[in-house]
Amino acid sequence: MSEYWVMSDQPEAFYLPAGDDVYEPTRATESPWDSAAQHGGPPTALLAHVIDATVGPGMRLARVSVDFLGPIPRRPARVEVTPLRPGRQVRLTEAHLVVDGRAAVTARAWHIATGPTPPVETERVPPPPIPQAPDEWESLLGMPDWGYGQAIEWRFIRGGREPLGFAEVWTRVRIPLIAGRKITGLDRTLIVADAANGLSATLPIKEWLSIPPTMTTTLLRHPEGEWVHLDCRTHLADDGLGATHATVSDPGGRLGDVSQPLLIRRR
């Protein structure tokens, strides 16, 4: 059965521009673990969005790797961008989300120049259809209401109510990433990508931590439309580590992949 969130008093966006490359996070960024912290999805999307704006036409973001250097305070943050490898064919750019003078998140993004269509076409296989919205909704994985969870519509094909080690869900972000700017397909994809480990949790998340210190998203093409599909699976090792992999799609077919190593600990 599918399920989704209904949000009252919905914020204008995940972030409010505050001038001089500073962004103020709203309640929509709220982590399920700490109301004073941000979920990793919105900062990931914000850094990629700002990096993407520095790259000229004819290049497309192909991969972004994000390192979470600790809990991300839900306070105003400045985004600092540095080109590391300028180029006309490939370009590497780094960005930092700086809160209270400390880098809380670091992202590195590779852009690759687009070119002529290759002589071989990869078949697009669409994911399962988007389920109908149910008449009632339940808490995501049994968690109480929290900003990030409510800012996204979740329609599950598998999983969503209890830890299973896998989940398949269609998502639709309800609000813009940045107030006053139209949300893009890239924004939508990266806002939800970091949710893969929580969606496919193997242990009760009220009792166990499943923390990804880093995440990598590789994109085959530019996302299209409002809906993003995640097919997630988490595996655990016997020494307190884990790994999550997710295939990301839109209604037209596969978009790319998400990879997250995990710290697994009892709370």
Side-chain angles (χ1 to χ4, degrees):
M1 178 181 177
S2 63
E3 53 188 294
Y4 72 112
W5 290 83
V6 176
M7 188 172 191
S8 60
D9 300 325
Q10 185 168 279
E12 181 181 357
F14 289 91
Y15 294 98
L16 307 178
D20 297 326
D21 300 317
V22 174
Y23 298 87
E24 181 179 348
T26 69
R27 181 176 174 269
T29 66
E30 180 186 15
S31 164
W33 316 119
D34 181 356
S35 63
Q38 298 185 55
H39 187 278
T44 296
L46 177 65
L47 291 178
H49 181 102
V50 175
I51 289 174
D52 207 43
T54 69
V55 178
M59 302 193 83
R60 181 164 57 76
L61 189 143
R63 194 206 73 178
V64 59
S65 295
V66 183
D67 297 317
F68 306 111
L69 307 180
I72 310 166
R74 195 152 61 89
R75 295 198 293 275
R78 186 176 72 258
V79 175
E80 300 176 348
V81 178
T82 304
L84 297 180
R85 200 281 191 192
R88 289 181 293 179
Q89 297 296 321
V90 295
R91 179 184 179 95
L92 177 63
T93 309
E94 184 175 76
H96 302 281
L97 187 76
V98 180
V99 184
D100 299 334
R102 179 185 69 86
V105 185
T106 294
R108 284 191 170 193
W110 279 100
H111 282 75
I112 299 177
T114 57
T117 301
V120 176
E121 183 177 353
T122 300
E123 181 184 5
R124 287 196 186 187
V125 180
I130 302 169
Q132 293 294 317
D135 294 331
E136 298 179 357
W137 60 274
E138 299 181 25
S139 297
L140 186 65
L141 292 173
M143 297 293 288
D145 294 358
W146 44 290
Y148 172 82
Q150 292 180 320
I152 299 163
E153 183 173 352
W154 311 90
R155 296 196 189 179
F156 282 89
I157 298 170
R158 301 183 298 166
R161 293 187 178 184
E162 58 186 25
L164 297 173
F166 59 87
E168 189 175 1
V169 59
W170 280 101
T171 70
R172 180 166 60 179
V173 177
R174 299 179 183 276
I175 56 178
L177 174 64
I178 302 169
R181 301 185 195 176
K182 184 178 179 180
I183 190 169
T184 68
L186 179 62
D187 295 340
R188 292 181 183 277
T189 302
L190 295 179
I191 286 170
V192 300
D194 188 56
N197 68 296
L199 295 169
S200 61
T202 58
L203 295 165
I205 61 178
K206 289 184 178 180
E207 302 172 25
W208 290 84
L209 295 172
S210 174
I211 301 175
T214 185
M215 179 194 70
T216 298
T217 300
T218 302
L219 293 174
L220 173 64
R221 58 184 177 83
H222 189 78
E224 301 170 356
E226 294 184 319
W227 291 92
V228 176
H229 177 269
L230 294 173
D231 190 349
C232 323
R233 186 167 294 273
T234 292
H235 298 274
L236 301 186
D238 58 6
D239 61 354
L241 277 72
T244 294
H245 176 266
T247 299
V248 188
S249 305
D250 63 12
R254 186 185 184 122
L255 285 174
D257 300 278
V258 175
S259 179
Q260 299 167 295
L262 304 174
L263 168 73
I264 306 297
R265 293 291 187 274
R266 184 178 289 276
R267 288 182 175 278

